[in-house]
Amino acid sequence: MADVRQETLYGCLVVSNPCKSDLKHDGIIMQLEGVLSILIPPSKQGLIDTVVNSLKPTVLHSEVLEICRAGKFPHGTSELPFEVLLPISSPKKPIYETFHGNSINIHYALRCTVKRSLLSKPLIQMTEFLVEHKPSSCPLPPRVREFSLTPANVNNAGERSRLPNFSITGRLDSDMCSLSKPLTGEICVQECSGGVVNSIEVQLHRLETCGNPADHLAPTETSEVQSWQVCDGDVARGLAIPLCLPLPRVFTCATVSSRNFAIGFEVIIQVAFCNDHLVKETIPIVLER
């Protein structure tokens, strides 16, 4: 795992030659490449046809290193150490964190090519490595976010009339969340008369905007990253249930907004009652390193 602030990536290329004779090659090169890919969801295509062609894969960084010149590998295992100095992220040429989403992918990889004669295909092997920013020296102060779920959260009057009389309160300790720490808080069922709680879930959703976030026509796809079941079945009234939810690494990243895309996150508090009715509360959050 590498950091984007002028850090050196160290590695070792291992070549195994099972043949008794030497393995001849015409040189070995190593290519480091970072690529940003934006794929507009098929359901959204047609809304911004004039922008589609501009969303080509963007090369964030590309560098080619010569590991060794033409030669031979003897029988057995040969090790070739290498090191690559990673670029510095800047406003003009940013280096984003690794992220794998449905519409947006930020991918960094090493591609090793063993060149051989014209009559033999080159040997190619590729491996991904993760890039993340160093924790900020001045982290944002925590902002406690309280929430409350009542029948008033349901917009449909007919649906609201079939719900029990309930009051569920809670809080997130901060809506400015560090990726290296779990999401914490608590939830409490204060009242639920005329029905019982079937389950309580907390969901983490990502919002991927393909295009300029300031453009209201830019499509945004929302998808679930992870879901935690806080309780299964009814719970005691007035009992504060603690929340401690670790965040996944590859499918999340620091919240980012640029000229061509944006990645945001939100937490969904979902309560299911015994009659299969659902009540949700959406809380936007900011993830930071």
Side-chain angles (χ1 to χ4, degrees):
M1 185 176 295
D3 183 274
V4 296
R5 295 184 188 176
Q6 204 65 22
E7 185 172 327
T8 302
L9 178 67
Y10 298 94
C12 183
L13 175 64
V14 180
V15 180
S16 179
N17 179 18
C19 303
K20 294 184 178 181
S21 58
D22 293 344
L23 176 64
K24 184 178 179 181
H25 65 89
D26 293 339
I28 300 177
I29 60 172
M30 182 79 71
Q31 181 178 9
L32 183 151
E33 190 172 64
V35 178
L36 164 65
S37 301
I38 301 177
L39 176 64
I40 297 180
S43 59
K44 306 291 185 179
Q45 291 182 9
L47 296 178
I48 53 171
D49 292 334
T50 57
V51 184
V52 172
N53 293 330
S54 67
L55 301 180
K56 302 293 184 182
T58 301
V59 178
L60 301 174
H61 182 71
S62 182
E63 185 176 351
V64 179
L65 303 174
E66 184 181 51
I67 302 299
C68 69
R69 298 181 179 179
K72 296 179 181 180
F73 288 116
H75 169 73
T77 301
S78 302
E79 295 186 354
L80 304 172
F82 65 89
E83 58 183 65
V84 184
L85 190 64
L86 297 178
I88 299 177
S89 181
S90 65
K92 292 185 177 180
K93 193 173 182 181
I95 300 297
Y96 303 107
E97 291 192 338
T98 299
F99 176 76
H100 296 301
N102 289 338
S103 301
I104 299 173
N105 271 279
I106 304 173
H107 178 265
Y108 298 89
L110 288 172
R111 179 187 178 97
C112 179
T113 302
V114 179
K115 296 184 289 185
R116 300 199 290 174
S117 62
L118 295 176
L119 299 180
S120 302
K121 292 183 179 180
L123 303 177
I124 300 174
Q125 183 66 41
M126 185 164 57
T127 184
E128 180 184 10
F129 64 94
L130 304 183
V131 169
E132 64 180 35
H133 297 126
K134 281 184 178 179
S136 173
S137 57
C138 299
L140 296 173
R143 299 185 310 191
V144 176
R145 181 66 181 268
E146 297 182 347
F147 59 87
S148 175
L149 288 85
T150 64
N153 291 79
V154 181
N155 295 326
N156 188 301
E159 182 77 10
R160 186 164 57 241
S161 64
R162 293 191 292 270
L163 288 171
N165 184 27
F166 66 92
S167 174
I168 300 173
T169 61
R171 74 169 194 274
L172 296 180
D173 290 336
S174 178
D175 59 3
M176 312 289 293
C177 308
S178 171
L179 284 163
S180 59
K181 299 178 181 179
L183 182 67
T184 59
E186 68 175 29
I187 188 169
C188 178
V189 180
Q190 302 287 0
E191 179 187 1
C192 186
S193 58
V196 296
V197 174
N198 195 33
S199 67
I200 299 177
E201 290 186 357
V202 178
Q203 300 174 355
L204 176 65
H205 287 196
R206 60 191 173 201
L207 291 79
E208 302 170 64
T209 301
C210 303
N212 191 332
D215 184 0
H216 69 281
L217 293 178
T220 298
E221 182 177 9
T222 302
S223 57
E224 181 180 319
V225 177
Q226 192 164 337
S227 178
W228 301 271
Q229 187 174 37
V230 177
C231 69
D232 181 18
D234 206 5
V235 296
R237 307 299 181 252
L239 176 65
I241 304 172
L243 303 176
C244 186
L245 314 171
L247 299 172
R249 170 59 193 92
V250 178
F251 303 107
T252 60
C253 68
T255 300
V256 60
S257 179
S258 72
R259 184 177 60 182
N260 297 324
F261 73 97
I263 302 173
F265 298 90
E266 62 186 15
V267 169
I268 309 294
I269 311 295
Q270 178 175 282
V271 180
F273 296 95
C274 59
N275 53 7
D276 294 332
H277 290 297
L278 297 176
V279 179
K280 300 180 181 180
E281 176 73 8
T282 301
I283 305 174
I285 62 173
V286 175
L287 298 185
E288 61 175 355
R289 188 56 61 187

